[in-house]
């Protein structure tokens, strides 16, 4: 389960004032759900995801992801939280000087794994995203859609129970975006909890699911048909 309970989040601005992103926001996402997080650019979608992987801490309130709680989470426990989830970004964030296989293996190497087990896990993840035939390619040799598939493989290689996607189709044309959304939905059907932050309302309406909107610093559940 993911839960935000009466969460407030604010950032300091250069003039010493504070910009409020969330103010007493609450929501619960159950294990196995597919949820869209919508709102215009700057509304705080990425900030909310950062709360989930502890790249930001709430000013007030509680954020809970599985067994990890923001009010008791220690800095040295953050890596263990992040091992339970995968994160996909709009700009792919691949290492340009590493092959596809090395990019996908990177999260496993960071946790101290090595050997044949890593190769098996990487190849299994690449097969799941349709790139089992390109493990030795480099990012610059791939299309944008293929690069995002590598990023998704990297996110799922450690078999997380949550997949967070922050504008995963933002840099892709509509046809390729549809392919990436289809892949994410397949992973959800295979059991992953899927949280997608997006301003691509076309996708939300084409593949409707529970939809949460950031509105006036609150989280409001809406009908995707109204977008």
């Amino acid at each position: 389960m993911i839960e935000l309970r009466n969460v407030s989040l604010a950032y300091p601005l250069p003039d010493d004032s504070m910009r409020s992103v969330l103010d007493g926001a609450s929501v619960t996402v159950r294990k196995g759900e597919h949820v869209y997080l919508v709102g215009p650019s700057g509304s705080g979608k990425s900030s909310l995801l950062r709360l989930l992987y502890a790249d930001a801490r709430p000013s007030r309130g509680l954020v809970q992801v599985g067994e990890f709680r923001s009010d008791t989470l220690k800095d040295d426990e953050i890596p263990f939280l992040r091992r339970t989830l995968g994160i996909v970004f709009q700009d792919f964030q691949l290492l340009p000087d590493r092959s596809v296989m090395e990019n996908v293996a990177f999260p496993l190497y960071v946790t101290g794994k090595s050997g044949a087990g890593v190769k098996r896990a990487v190849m299994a993840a690449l097969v799941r995203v349709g790139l089992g035939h390109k493990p030795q390619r480099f990012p610059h040799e791939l299309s944008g859609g293929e690069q995002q598939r590598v990023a998704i493989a990297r996110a799922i290689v450690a078999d997380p129970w949550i997949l967070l996607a922050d504008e995963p189709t933002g840099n892709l044309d509509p046809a390729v975006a549809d392919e990436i959304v289809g892949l994410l939905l397949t992973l959800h059907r295979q059991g992953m909890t899927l949280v997608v932050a997006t301003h691509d309302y076309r996708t939300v309406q084409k593949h409707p699911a529970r939809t949460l909107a950031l509105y006036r610093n609150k989280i409001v559940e809406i009908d995707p048909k109204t977008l």
Side-chain angles (χ1 to χ4, degrees), residues 43-162:
S43 61
K45 299 187 299 296
S46 295
S47 295
L48 195 154
L49 293 185
R50 290 178 62 214
L51 286 170
L52 300 184
Y53 58 88
D55 193 47
R57 298 291 187 111
S59 307
R60 293 194 306 275
L62 172 70
V63 177
Q64 182 166 356
V65 179
E67 64 186 61
F68 298 95
R69 295 168 52 105
S70 60
D71 58 347
T72 58
L73 184 67
K74 299 176 182 178
D75 287 347
D76 60 3
E77 294 174 325
I78 292 176
F80 297 97
L81 160 65
R82 293 178 180 170
R83 290 175 196 176
T84 70
L85 49 85
I87 310 170
V88 179
F89 298 98
Q90 176 177 343
D91 57 357
F92 316 144
Q93 297 194 9
L94 301 179
L95 301 170
D97 60 340
R98 308 285 180 92
S99 69
V100 165
M101 175 167 280
E102 290 169 327
N103 267 281
V104 176
F106 188 77
L108 301 179
Y109 290 144
V110 168
T111 62
K113 295 181 180 179
S114 61
V118 169
K119 185 175 181 179
R120 284 194 298 270
V122 169
M123 288 306 301
L126 287 174
V127 168
R128 290 179 77 181
V129 303
L131 286 178
H133 59 301
K134 294 188 176 182
Q136 302 306 324
R137 298 289 182 89
F138 283 80
H140 71 272
E141 298 177 302
L142 304 176
S143 68
E146 288 174 329
Q147 289 185 57
Q148 190 61 294
R149 287 174 181 270
V150 175
I152 294 170
R154 180 182 58 193
I156 66 172
V157 70
D159 198 25
W161 70 273
I162 305 172

Side-chain angles (χ1 to χ4, degrees), residues 5 25 33 36 80 168 171 173 180 194 203 227:
R5 189 186 309 161
E33 272 198 282
Y36 290 112
F80 297 97
N171 288 338
D173 64 49
I180 294 301
L194 178 62
T203 290
L227 291 173

Side-chain angles (χ1 to χ4, degrees), residues 8-11 13 17-24 42-43 216-217:
S8 295
L9 176 66
Y11 292 113
L13 297 176
S17 63
M18 299 293 289
R19 175 180 177 266
S20 179
V21 179
L22 295 173
D23 184 13
S43 61
R216 294 184 177 179
N217 299 341

